[in-house]
């Protein structure tokens, strides 16, 4: 068990859940900023090399959970683990964003669907799952290139 | 802020971190089981329709965090948010698994890289990022089909 702590906060155009595109065919193309707290800035080292990031965040304006619920994309109830419902046993949301640029502690990103001021719990590089021609894998691709170009050690 | 709670536990062939394939080119093809606690079983309703799941879990055998670290795939240090290091401010791991079958509270999956007995925090359906011919989207695809086939309401 651990107690969650914010490593930063989302700056988003959405001030209220009703403003977030939901349901079938909803597109998440809004620009936003992940403002990482200065004490965690060193953790962003080399993040510029990745085109897409996995953002884990806290549903901080949702309370309690329900095991069955009817999502905006259907008129039938489904299990919480088969949906993206905010009312989860652990209130963790997941969004994949495109990293546009970094400015110090600020990550300017595209594709936010979080509410403004949402606490960010974690950021991870996306290593697959985006069309190869659009995915940049930063230091990992460089390490792979160095390894394949280097001498074969016995 | 919230305090994490397990919704289940991973059954994995890996008893020790040294056994988990790591570094460049590591493949995660091990079969395992996500044993969901009976009190959360209703949350699995309709999960069988999805081919791939996002599993969030807790690095319960890792303590503290470091903002810069050298991953097994490189000999240079990178920021924690540009790596998959277990030593994170919020110790949350993420694994995408293929759902082979469900047996009651047990999800039999392929692609585990967690240690045996790792607490599961959340399970979400994967909705994109896998080759279209391999991805099944369960109730969501059905809802989309109903919507496009149904009468257009005024």
């Amino acid at each position: 068990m651990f107690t969650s702590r914010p490593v930063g906060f989302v700056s988003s155009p959405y001030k209220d859940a009703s403003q977030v595109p939901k349901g079938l065919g909803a597109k998440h193309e809004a620009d936003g900023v992940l403002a990482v707290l200065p004490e965690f800035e060193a953790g962003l080292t080399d993040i510029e090399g990745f085109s897409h990031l996995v953002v884990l965040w806290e549903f901080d304006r949702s309370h309690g959970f329900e095991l069955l619920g009817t999502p905006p994309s259907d008129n039938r109830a489904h299990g919480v683990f088969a949906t993206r419902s905010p009312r989860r046993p652990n209130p963790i949301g997941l969004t994949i964003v495109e990293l546009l640029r970094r400015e110090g502690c600020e990550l300017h990103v595209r594709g936010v669907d979080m509410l403004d001021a949402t606490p960010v719990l974690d950021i991870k590089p996306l290593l697959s799952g985006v069309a190869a021609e659009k995915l940049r894998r930063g230091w990992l691709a460089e390490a792979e290139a160095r390894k394949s170009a280097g001498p074969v050690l016995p």
Side-chain angles (χ1 to χ4, degrees), chain A residues 47-69:
Chain A
I47 205 164
E48 303 90 331
F50 293 89
S51 58
H52 293 77
L53 304 173
V54 180
V55 186
L56 300 181
W57 45 276
E58 186 165 333
F59 284 108
D60 65 324
R61 273 151 280 184
S62 175
H63 300 286
F65 65 92
E66 52 180 13
L67 293 178
L68 280 169

Side-chain angles (χ1 to χ4, degrees), chain A residues 118-136:
Chain A
T118 289
V120 175
L121 300 177
D122 201 5
I123 302 169
K124 299 178 193 288
L126 185 70
L127 301 181
S128 64
V130 167
E133 68 275 15
K134 290 187 183 171
L135 183 68
R136 286 183 300 113

